[in-house]
Amino acid sequence: MLYPLPLSLLCRHLIHPFPLKPSDRASLTEVIAFAWDAMKTGFLKTPFRRMQKVDRWTELQVFLKIVEEQSMTKAADALDLSVSGVSRHLVNLETRLGARLVQRSTRRLSTTTEGQQLYLDARDILANWEEAEANVTARAHAPTGRLRVGASLSFSLLHLMPVVQQFRQRYPSVLIEVVASNRYYDIIENGLDLAIRTRRVEADSSITIRKLAETRRLLAASPEYLDRHGAPKHPSDLKDHDLILYTLADNWNNLNFRKGEEAVTVEVDGIINANDGQLICAAARDGLGILAQPTYIIQKDLEAGRLVRVLDDWDLPRLTMNIAYPSKSFMPARTRLFLDFLVEQFRANNYEELWTR
């Protein structure tokens, strides 16, 4: 029986043929037939298999699909491989690692402790690789598709829409849907690509948070209101004033002030309470009372003199504005580009410096 040639040597014969003796040509014909049969059946004789390099990437892809599908047959169908080929990749991976990854029975498959850990690590590795490929592709091709962005109504009106307009001028093939709400939607369930929030942490560990800017929370009132009622000198004086409060803030009816080492908590209630910052600002501009709002919402009113800072030497807890987005799945180029564009616009406008004065 003729011993099969290594595949690399076979390829060299096919691409750069050199003179062969008749007996060699006969051997080569058999090798070609052998290789073709091996590729069709997924079976390779041991001497031939030793000559192959270990395809670790394919092994990981096969392993991930087995765990996700919980079936060798379904994994084979999804990857367009034979069941025997899928099984062989799994066995090779387990042999190379020296650990059982998947428990097999006639009824079901289940991952071992080692298999579950490898699945989590390998999933992230493959996701990062897909993102790296997407980033390269994005440099050569203009991004397209629909981008869903979530934010509060005030942020959307004052800061998001100007960025959207500039982004669309640069990437006109990207369609942007702004989901404006003062409550936090679940990013995954609502199909958001990213959301701008002041929440410190996300309950879902698969959500990544990237800081956008920090902002103070200020008390402010119209000049007309202060002419009628005077300005409070100390947080405790607020009990004698009309307040306009935002009910979706954390502990909205408790204002925690700090000045140096002194801390004061004032329990408050408003003559007007609302769940939207624009309503609160309009009421304050009309002279109805003192509001407590983040600087990013009232900055233009302060600059125009429509509102005046109150108790500015006292600090309320600051807010950090973050961009939240799914991190474990492939991020389209349009999402990555918009995220970076938004961060760059905030940096260029020095918003954090402006809002923390």
Side-chain angles (χ1 to χ4, degrees):
M1 179 177 178
L2 295 172
Y3 191 78
L5 293 173
L7 186 59
S8 59
L9 181 57
L10 171 61
C11 292
R12 287 201 300 272
H13 276 303
L14 294 175
I15 298 172
H16 299 293
F18 51 83
L20 296 173
K21 296 180 295 183
S23 59
D24 290 330
R25 291 192 182 96
S27 300
L28 185 56
T29 301
E30 291 191 12
V31 169
I32 293 173
F34 174 84
W36 177 250
D37 183 63
M39 286 188 288
K40 288 192 298 180
T41 62
F43 175 79
L44 294 174
K45 294 182 178 180
T46 302
F48 195 89
R49 187 169 62 245
R50 285 200 194 103
M51 305 307 295
Q52 289 187 309
K53 293 183 178 179
V54 176
D55 189 351
R56 300 186 179 188
W57 198 250
T58 301
E59 287 178 355
L60 284 180
Q61 289 177 311
V62 170
F63 170 70
L64 286 176
K65 190 57 67 175
I66 291 172
V67 175
E68 290 166 359
E69 298 291 346
Q70 291 293 295
S71 165
M72 293 275 197
T73 302
K74 291 181 179 179
D77 290 341
L79 296 171
D80 197 23
L81 295 173
S82 66
V83 176
S84 60
V86 167
S87 177
R88 185 181 68 252
H89 280 299
L90 177 60
V91 171
N92 289 345
L93 179 61
E94 290 179 325
T95 301
R96 182 163 55 81
L97 297 181
R100 171 76 71 175
L101 303 175
V102 177
Q103 296 287 7
R104 294 84 140 175
S105 71
T106 56
R107 294 184 178 180
R108 62 188 296 271
L109 301 179
S110 61
T111 54
T112 63
T113 301
E114 293 80 5
Q116 184 61 27
Q117 185 59 55
L118 179 62
Y119 171 77
L120 295 175
D121 293 339
R123 183 184 61 179
D124 289 345
I125 291 170
L126 289 173
N128 289 336
W129 176 255
E130 289 174 351
E131 182 176 347
E133 286 185 328
N135 288 338
V136 172
T137 302
R139 293 178 182 274
H141 303 282
T144 60
R146 184 178 299 274
L147 182 71
R148 283 172 55 86
V149 183
S152 70
L153 179 58
S154 292
F155 185 88
S156 299
L157 288 171
L158 299 172
H159 304 290
L160 181 58
M161 292 310 296
V163 173
V164 167
Q165 181 181 3
Q166 295 175 51
F167 184 81
R168 285 269 304 141
Q169 291 174 353
R170 183 176 297 184
Y171 304 105
S173 297
V174 177
L175 307 178
I176 299 181
E177 180 179 347
V178 176
V179 182
S181 174
N182 293 328
R183 292 191 179 275
Y184 294 141
Y185 284 124
D186 184 284
I187 291 178
I188 304 298
E189 289 184 0
N190 289 276
L192 296 177
D193 295 294
L194 58 90
I196 293 87
R197 307 183 161 177
T198 56
R199 186 155 60 182
R200 297 184 185 90
V201 296
E202 293 288 335
D204 189 340
S205 61
S206 69
I207 300 299
T208 292
I209 292 177
R210 181 173 176 180
K211 181 182 176 182
L212 187 58
E214 188 175 280
T215 179
R216 288 185 67 189
R217 294 170 62 213
L218 300 176
L219 298 184
S222 69
E224 293 76 18
Y225 175 87
L226 296 176
D227 287 342
R228 292 197 310 270
H229 299 275
K233 305 298 183 185
H234 188 272
S236 59
D237 296 337
L238 292 174
K239 66 180 183 297
D240 299 321
H241 282 269
D242 297 334
L243 302 180
I244 309 169
L245 302 175
Y246 180 62
T247 56
L248 295 183
D250 292 339
N251 300 317
W252 65 271
N253 56 348
N254 283 282
L255 298 177
N256 301 304
F257 293 92
R258 179 173 292 277
K259 182 169 69 173
E261 298 299 320
E262 185 180 0
V264 177
T265 297
V266 180
E267 186 174 345
V268 295
D269 196 3
I271 62 161
I272 298 176
N273 300 322
N275 64 357
D276 181 70
Q278 296 305 299
L279 297 177
I280 290 171
C281 289
R285 288 193 298 266
D286 289 341
L288 299 182
I290 300 174
L291 60 68
Q293 283 284 279
T295 312
Y296 79 86
I297 293 180
I298 63 173
Q299 182 63 40
K300 290 184 179 179
D301 287 324
L302 294 173
E303 292 174 349
R306 294 185 291 265
L307 294 177
V308 178
R309 297 183 185 221
V310 173
L311 295 175
D312 193 35
D313 54 339
W314 289 83
D315 269 326
L316 290 168
R318 297 186 176 190
L319 300 176
T320 300
M321 305 179 67
N322 297 311
I323 308 173
Y325 54 92
S327 56
K328 297 302 183 184
S329 58
F330 163 66
M331 178 181 287
R334 60 182 176 272
T335 306
R336 171 67 65 187
L337 289 170
F338 184 83
L339 192 155
D340 292 339
F341 188 82
L342 180 60
V343 171
E344 181 55 36
Q345 290 300 307
F346 267 58
R347 184 180 296 116
N349 287 286
N350 294 316
Y351 280 145
E352 181 165 312
E353 180 183 350
L354 184 64
W355 294 343
T356 53
R357 291 176 181 170

